[in-house]
Amino acid sequence: LASRGGGGGGGGGGEAAALGLKLATLSLLLCVSLAGNVLFALLIVRERSLHRAPYYLLLDLCLADGLRALACLPAVMLAARRAAAAAGAPPGALGCKLLAFLAALFCFHAAFLLLGVGVTRYLAIAHHRFYAERLAGWPCAAMLVCAAWALALAAAFPPVLDGGGGGGGGGDDEDAPCALEQRPDGAPGALGFLLLLAVVVGATHLVYLRLLFFIHDRRKMRPARLVPAVSHDWTFHGPGATGQAAANWTAGFGRGPTPPALVGIRPAGPGRGARRLLVLEEFKTEKRLCKMFYAVTLLFLLLWGPYVVASYLRVLVRPGAVPQAYLTASVWLTFAQAGINPVVCFLFNRELRDCFRAQFPCCQSPQTTQATLPCDLKGIGL
């Protein structure tokens, strides 16, 4: 896969086989990315039970991955064919810089969006009432998406369009059109680009680590301290009260006079729809979403990490410090990231699998169809 065009010597059949394998692999990546991301987008748009903020953010991430595959992979295939044929002019400097800018834009968009998703996941579990009242609707998702695109545009613009190896003399590396081109000799823009990406990805993992500690702390068993509660009329207030009687009264199930600790608080009527605390089923749903999004974040780190390391070596040491085979493999790993997210989401999210079976019954066997309930029925607990 690390073959170069125009080498002049060796067997023409070997170069043709390598070119065919490279083009076939790129075509497979392109088809898988487009099919998976488009199918995932259609599922979220058509299924009403998925019209929630986490899935809106996931929809934006998948659409960005599909656009990145559509913009970058055909350009890499064209560059590989030109390099192998040693014919035609190489891509112009402007075209190479534009493609490198798009690659950096989509990379930073995914990084900033995953950081926003991590923060919302933490709020959904640690501060569920605030999340349910303020952040669970589509306006919050729209603001996060716009902020991610704006920050990605601001981060990707200066370093990529200020120079790079794509337009210079001759296309010695056919993977370069969608590599994150950087200025040589440790230029401040290139180093700042890499540091910002590392900081954003590191901050995202710190958020998930804080969430893990929060869940672990809440699972610790503490000894019960039985302090008698005070009650003259079945309201049970005072130091020993568990709060359940007050919670029942606030939710509209209370009888009798107002508990002394709740004077001035209006009970919730049948139609007021007051939010409860995070119950067990909601907690499990939020935990499944957290696992799915963290799997996407971890894969982003694993697939982009080798290229970031290679870029650090090229900036801080020298451009020739990285073997060409390693650099090519790291670039191809970033290509694979554009199509892996739908697969990970379907593997880690049972709700998505159930909704997929309900929306696309042609993709399942008759036995599975009989055992599957529609997502709307599962959403109401039937």
Side-chain angles (χ1 to χ4, degrees):
L1 296 182
S3 63
R4 290 178 172 181
E15 290 186 0
L19 176 63
L21 179 60
K22 172 170 281 193
L23 293 179
T25 307
L26 287 172
S27 302
L28 179 63
L29 288 176
L30 179 62
C31 294
V32 169
S33 177
L34 291 179
N37 289 297
V38 170
L39 187 64
F40 195 87
L42 288 177
L43 176 63
I44 294 180
V45 171
R46 292 178 57 179
E47 181 57 53
R48 294 184 60 185
S49 64
L50 300 180
H51 291 179
R52 307 199 303 269
Y55 293 107
Y56 290 146
L57 299 176
L58 199 56
L59 172 64
D60 176 70
L61 184 63
C62 288
L63 290 179
D65 287 340
L67 289 176
R68 175 171 173 261
L70 191 61
C72 292
L73 295 184
V76 177
M77 296 169 65
L78 181 60
R81 294 192 62 178
R82 283 178 174 176
L94 181 60
C96 287
K97 291 177 183 179
L98 180 61
L99 287 172
F101 163 71
L102 290 177
L105 176 68
F106 291 128
C107 173
F108 267 113
H109 165 261
F112 282 118
L113 188 66
L114 290 175
L115 176 59
V117 168
V119 173
T120 57
R121 291 297 86 211
Y122 175 78
L123 293 175
I125 290 185
H127 307 280
H128 182 69
R129 179 171 297 181
F130 173 79
Y131 173 83
E133 293 176 354
R134 305 289 181 86
L135 304 178
W138 66 266
C140 173
M143 287 191 298
L144 276 177
V145 168
C146 294
W149 281 111
L151 291 173
L153 184 64
F157 218 130
V160 178
L161 291 184
D162 198 27
D172 65 331
D173 187 2
E174 62 266 25
D175 298 324
C178 271
L180 304 186
E181 298 294 345
Q182 299 298 332
R183 288 177 287 179
D185 302 327
L191 190 57
F193 178 93
L194 297 171
L195 288 176
L196 180 59
L197 183 61
V199 167
V200 172
V201 176
T204 306
H205 283 81
L206 286 178
V207 171
Y208 282 105
L209 186 63
R210 178 69 183 88
L211 177 60
L212 179 64
F213 287 155
F214 177 85
I215 296 176
H216 183 267
D217 291 341
R218 297 310 184 275
R219 294 181 64 180
K220 290 182 178 178
M221 300 296 292
R222 294 184 175 88
R225 298 179 179 178
L226 299 178
V227 180
V230 178
S231 175
H232 301 289
D233 50 8
W234 300 100
T235 55
F236 292 101
H237 63 91
T242 61
Q244 186 59 49
N248 291 341
W249 189 90
T250 305
F253 300 103
R255 300 184 181 278
T258 304
L262 300 179
V263 174
I265 300 178
R266 296 174 56 191
R272 291 183 61 184
R275 289 294 305 177
R276 308 176 311 279
L277 295 177
L278 188 61
V279 298
L280 182 60
E281 190 61 34
E282 292 174 341
F283 183 72
K284 290 181 178 179
T285 302
E286 299 295 346
K287 280 185 63 176
R288 284 196 295 265
L289 287 174
C290 288
K291 291 179 181 178
M292 179 190 70
F293 278 116
Y294 182 70
V296 172
T297 305
L298 185 61
L299 272 178
F300 181 85
L301 173 64
L302 295 178
L303 295 178
W304 276 96
Y307 185 81
V308 173
V309 171
S311 300
Y312 268 112
L313 293 177
R314 296 178 72 183
V315 171
L316 298 177
V317 184
R318 65 180 188 277
V322 182
Q324 184 61 39
Y326 175 82
L327 184 60
T328 302
S330 63
V331 172
W332 278 58
L333 286 178
T334 64
F335 296 160
Q337 190 268 334
I340 198 67
N341 286 340
V343 179
V344 174
C345 294
F346 280 113
L347 288 178
F348 280 84
N349 196 321
R350 186 181 63 192
E351 184 180 9
L352 285 175
R353 296 195 298 269
D354 294 340
C355 293
F356 179 80
R357 297 189 189 102
Q359 288 291 334
F360 304 100
C362 58
C363 299
Q364 57 181 332
S365 61
Q367 293 82 4
T368 310
T369 307
Q370 295 176 359
T372 302
L373 286 173
C375 291
D376 292 338
L377 295 180
K378 288 195 173 187
I380 61 177
L382 296 180

